Amino acid sequence: MNEADSKKLATVMEQQGYKIAKNINQADVVVINTCSVRESAENRVFGLVNNLSKLKVISSKSKVILTGCMVSSAKGERKRYSLAELKKKLPEVDEFKTIDELVGNSKLETRNSQTEALIPIMEGCDHFCSYCVVPYARGKEISRSFAEIICEVKELAKQGCHEVMLLGQNVNSYRPSFARLLVAAHKIAGIEKISFMTSNPWGLSEEIIEALKLPKVARYLHLPVQSGDDGVLKRMNRPYTALQFIKLVKKIRQAVPEIKIGTDIIVGFPGEDEKAFENTVNLCRKANFALAYIAKYSPRQGTAAYKLKDDVSPAEKKRRWQILEKLINKPSPSKGRGDYNTHER
């Protein structure tokens, strides 16, 4: 989503007469598009601005604009912290603007290349997982017009685009119907591959699973599990159990045997004892994920989990991260097939 926003922003600025600088030292305007999904992403922003200032890249002749999720978290309806707090932490920044303030609602270029395009189909999230800042950074869930999206895909196909990625915080929630959108996009001549991110375990309907069979739909599904322990999942406000997740994965693989499934996992969430972590390891063995983005939990200001005691030590979080990293993100001939002969809790 941030990549698509950056491409839109670049197009707007070029329309205003700007050109991309060959290097940051030559820039009259420095625009930093921020991400808030993890604490480390926000910390990199603070470090970047500080380093640019120290290296005198940011000078009196350069304007620095901060945009993206960190600004939305301070300016949006669902504030996570105040704009004054953000300005205090980043005094070197001249302007704090949301993507909408900079871009508006214009239909703008989001192509990775001549043949690939990123297409946001919705914005925001209404679920509020207890650890997650996305509802604050991206706002309320809003779907784009079905007809508008299909028109955009058709126009891109006419221009020689062959691959599209449909983007949303939870594409399952797209209205009127994500399955119908996949079917309609699949019918467009010239489009050869359709992928999407992200699809959560809830709301992954029979119709969507059926649409995964379509020949043009990519044989990769990103399905965040976050934990394999029911107690942790409940504290995370994730509305499924470990067993329900495994059954869903099995159903998907029965429908599309060649599909590879990736996931997101958080280790060291408050209350995750050794048994809870073992449950996550067991789920990962059963699911046989093709890859996983594994994060060490850190408290995020403004979220419900921020009130919980961060009771797993940094060293233990690192140990658990290493175990899952070795288990999942290593080459294996059977990667992605799944194993359902193991004992299910």
Side-chain angles (χ1 to χ4, degrees), residues 146-160:
F146 188 100
E148 183 180 288
I149 295 168
I150 294 304
C151 264
E152 184 175 341
V153 177
K154 286 180 178 178
E155 184 58 33
L156 286 165
K158 287 178 185 176
Q159 295 171 14

Side-chain angles (χ1 to χ4, degrees), residues 253 257 259-261 287-290 334-338:
R253 287 206 174 103
I259 201 165
K260 292 186 180 298
I261 298 175
N288 197 9
F289 296 115
S334 65
K335 187 66 71 178
R337 284 209 313 260

Side-chain angles (χ1 to χ4, degrees), residues 70-116:
M70 288 177 71
V71 179
S72 298
S73 290
K75 282 190 169 186
E77 290 181 26
R78 301 165 166 177
K79 288 182 174 63
R80 192 161 63 92
Y81 42 68
S82 71
L83 185 59
E85 287 179 80
L86 194 58
K87 287 181 175 180
K88 187 176 180 180
K89 290 181 179 179
L90 295 167
E92 304 91 344
V93 173
D94 299 295
E95 294 183 11
F96 296 79
K97 300 280 190 181
T98 65
I99 291 291
D100 285 346
E101 287 172 331
L102 292 171
V103 172
N105 296 317
S106 306
K107 297 177 184 177
L108 298 166
E109 185 63 74
T110 57
R111 274 191 278 190
N112 277 336
S113 67
Q114 193 62 32
T115 60
E116 300 175 2

Side-chain angles (χ1 to χ4, degrees), residues 32-60:
I32 303 172
N33 185 14
T34 62
C35 174
S36 288
V37 71
R38 294 184 185 176
E39 184 181 37
S40 58
E42 292 188 343
N43 288 340
R44 282 197 297 273
V45 173
F46 297 130
L48 172 64
V49 173
N50 183 54
N51 287 338
L52 293 178
S53 181
K54 282 182 178 178
L55 295 171
K56 300 192 183 301
V57 172
I58 296 177
S59 65
S60 56

